[in-house]
Amino acid sequence: MLSMNVPFVSFGPFEEKVKTELKDAFERVLQNSWYIDGKEDVSFEKKFSEYIGTRWCIGVGNGLDALMLALKSLGIGKGDEVIVPSNTFIATALAVSNVGATIVFVEPDIETYNINPELIEEKITERTKAIIPVHLYGLACEMDEIMKIANKYNLHVIEDCAQAHGAMYGNRKVGSFGIASCFSFYPGKNLGALGDAGAVVTEDKKIYEDIKSLRNYGSDRKYHHIYEGYNSRLDEMQAAFLSAKLPYLDEVNDDRKHIAARYLEGICNRELIMPRKTDKSDHVWHIFAIRSKRRDELKQWLSDNGIMTGIHYPTPIYLQDCYKHLGIKKGTFPIADELSNTELSLPMFFGMTEEQIDYVVERINSFK
């Protein structure tokens, strides 16, 4: 097979597909001369809440702010504990510490990489106020079990859906289970803006109204401030771009599922552990994560052959410098450590060609 270059991600094929819609969105906002808190934001919020299956959606500046504002709207802060997975992206933990609450890490299931429901109860104390399940890499968490635990202990569930736009658990989309659910529309997401953007969806009117105020300097009407708020609004241009892309999200996810199916069928290398999913959990493959004890050698081998890869994530949150003050010793979370040492993310993007997929499969199978 002839050598070729395969990027880890490419925005080109999808942007070419929706070029007309994106240009129309840009022109529409420009002609309206209204750039913050206008009808584009309202329109996207309505469309996205309908897509997820919730009553309300509030556009915000980014995914981290979405999580933080959800916690703030629930009154979670100093003295409270929030359960998060030990192997997520740091934004999940930052949202908790940024509101003054205590992060409580729970290990993932080594098979799915999602938070292990069987380990949650032992971490619950009288100070626990919420669980943040992360639908990591695009795979829906075991929401039935998580919701049972939350209901048993009267805890809030805040879904972190930053990597799982459109994923299903049973017959419901992720984001429709928690009292508040948070999305990032960072450009690399399955539904990405052309800059930073995020949203919170909810069925709770008070949460909706509180986050609308919190995102806008704590204001419920102009120059009247009921909270010590933030400046985290979804601007009109990004809202318009997201509205242009949203109708294609299911097609994007289907394309990613096709690539994943080709990988799962074609890759046959005993050095690797392939990703798995559960019966009720849909996977939209934001990341196609394999594992290998020889991860770094494999990464270099693929790079030498023109194939770019990623690592999600090379250092567990609890070992990051910013959390040294927590005093958690290395080795406390061995599954998070294992994933950080062995995970490798393969190329995955809309419009990836069959030839590119074949080449990745062939090169991985040739790794000895």
Side-chain angles (χ1 to χ4, degrees):
M1 180 175 288
L2 294 176
S3 178
M4 66 172 69
N5 292 319
V6 183
F8 176 62
V9 64
S10 174
F11 299 137
F14 184 65
E15 289 176 351
E16 184 64 30
K17 182 179 181 68
V18 298
K19 181 186 293 185
T20 299
E21 290 91 334
L22 293 176
K23 286 182 175 179
D24 289 346
F26 175 82
E27 290 294 335
R28 190 168 66 246
V29 175
L30 196 64
Q31 289 173 12
N32 287 338
S33 297
W34 193 289
Y35 304 110
I36 296 289
D37 198 22
K39 62 184 181 181
E40 293 291 345
D41 184 22
V42 172
S43 176
F44 173 71
E45 288 175 346
K46 183 176 185 298
K47 292 172 183 175
F48 194 66
S49 62
E50 290 174 350
Y51 177 81
I52 298 299
T54 57
R55 186 178 182 188
W56 307 105
C57 172
I58 314 100
V60 298
N62 54 68
L64 171 56
D65 284 358
L67 289 163
M68 187 174 67
L69 293 175
L71 289 164
K72 291 287 288 187
S73 73
L74 292 165
I76 294 172
K78 188 175 181 180
D80 298 328
E81 295 177 350
V82 178
I83 290 172
V84 305
S86 59
N87 63 315
T88 182
F89 179 59
I90 197 168
T92 315
L94 286 174
V96 177
S97 56
N98 281 352
V99 301
T102 299
I103 305 162
V104 176
F105 292 112
V106 169
E107 288 271 70
D109 182 327
I110 192 65
E111 299 292 331
T112 66
Y113 315 144
N114 280 337
I115 191 168
N116 188 341
E118 296 180 2
L119 302 179
I120 291 176
E121 280 195 83
E122 65 190 48
K123 293 295 184 77
I124 295 172
T125 73
E126 61 183 14
R127 296 171 58 194
T128 307
K129 293 295 188 294
I131 305 168
I132 304 182
V134 181
H135 306 291
L136 198 68
Y137 303 153
L139 176 65
C141 291
E142 292 287 327
M143 292 310 300
D144 285 345
E145 296 304 314
I146 292 169
M147 296 306 297
K148 284 179 185 176
I149 295 168
N151 291 333
K152 178 179 177 181
Y153 292 94
N154 195 30
L155 304 177
H156 297 302
V157 172
I158 301 171
E159 292 178 74
D160 184 337
C161 308
Q163 300 184 7
H165 311 71
M168 305 286 291
Y169 181 76
N171 60 358
R172 293 169 60 182
K173 285 191 173 71
V174 301
S176 66
F177 293 87
I179 192 168
S181 299
C182 304
F183 290 83
S184 165
F185 303 120
Y186 181 77
K189 306 299 185 182
N190 292 28
L191 177 63
L194 302 191
D196 269 326
V200 182
V201 297
T202 184
E203 288 284 296
D204 190 297
K205 187 176 182 180
K206 186 177 187 305
I207 290 174
Y208 167 71
E209 291 175 344
D210 284 352
I211 294 178
K212 279 194 73 175
S213 295
L214 285 165
R215 73 175 179 176
N216 188 32
Y217 302 99
S219 173
D220 60 344
R221 62 183 187 273
K222 195 166 185 178
Y223 301 133
H224 184 259
H225 305 271
I226 56 177
Y227 302 117
E228 295 180 26
Y230 305 85
N231 177 16
S232 182
R233 297 165 296 195
L234 176 61
D235 71 69
E236 289 288 278
M237 195 67 77
Q238 298 306 333
F241 290 148
L242 288 166
S243 288
K245 286 184 166 187
L246 181 58
Y248 297 94
L249 177 54
D250 289 341
E251 181 181 348
V252 167
N253 287 341
D254 286 343
D255 193 62
R256 300 175 90 96
K257 289 177 182 181
H258 168 72
I259 298 166
R262 289 288 320 278
Y263 281 161
L264 289 167
E265 179 183 3
I267 295 174
C268 300
N269 190 318
R270 293 182 180 179
E271 294 285 342
L272 307 182
I273 298 172
M274 301 294 283
R276 298 187 177 100
K277 58 190 283 301
T278 63
D279 291 339
K280 292 188 70 173
S281 296
D282 183 29
H283 206 319
V284 293
W285 302 103
H286 174 61
I287 297 293
F288 191 95
I290 62 174
R291 288 194 291 126
S292 173
K293 295 292 186 184
R294 298 171 59 203
R295 187 266 310 280
D296 294 342
E297 294 176 60
L298 175 58
K299 182 176 177 61
Q300 186 61 54
W301 162 262
L302 293 174
S303 178
D304 291 344
N305 283 272
I307 299 169
M308 298 299 101
T309 57
I311 297 173
H312 296 82
Y313 301 96
T315 302
I317 297 172
Y318 82 98
L319 294 178
Q320 295 286 350
D321 288 350
C322 63
Y323 287 127
K324 280 184 177 179
H325 66 277
L326 297 179
I328 303 175
K329 294 181 179 179
K330 186 174 183 179
T332 301
F333 298 102
I335 299 179
D337 293 341
E338 171 75 10
L339 295 177
S340 290
N341 292 330
T342 60
E343 191 276 342
L344 186 68
S345 305
L346 299 186
M348 172 64 71
F349 54 90
F350 177 88
M352 193 174 178
T353 67
E354 296 299 317
E355 291 76 17
Q356 288 174 320
I357 300 168
D358 288 341
Y359 183 67
V360 173
V361 170
E362 190 275 332
R363 288 290 79 197
I364 289 176
N365 287 342
S366 297
F367 176 69
K368 304 297 183 184

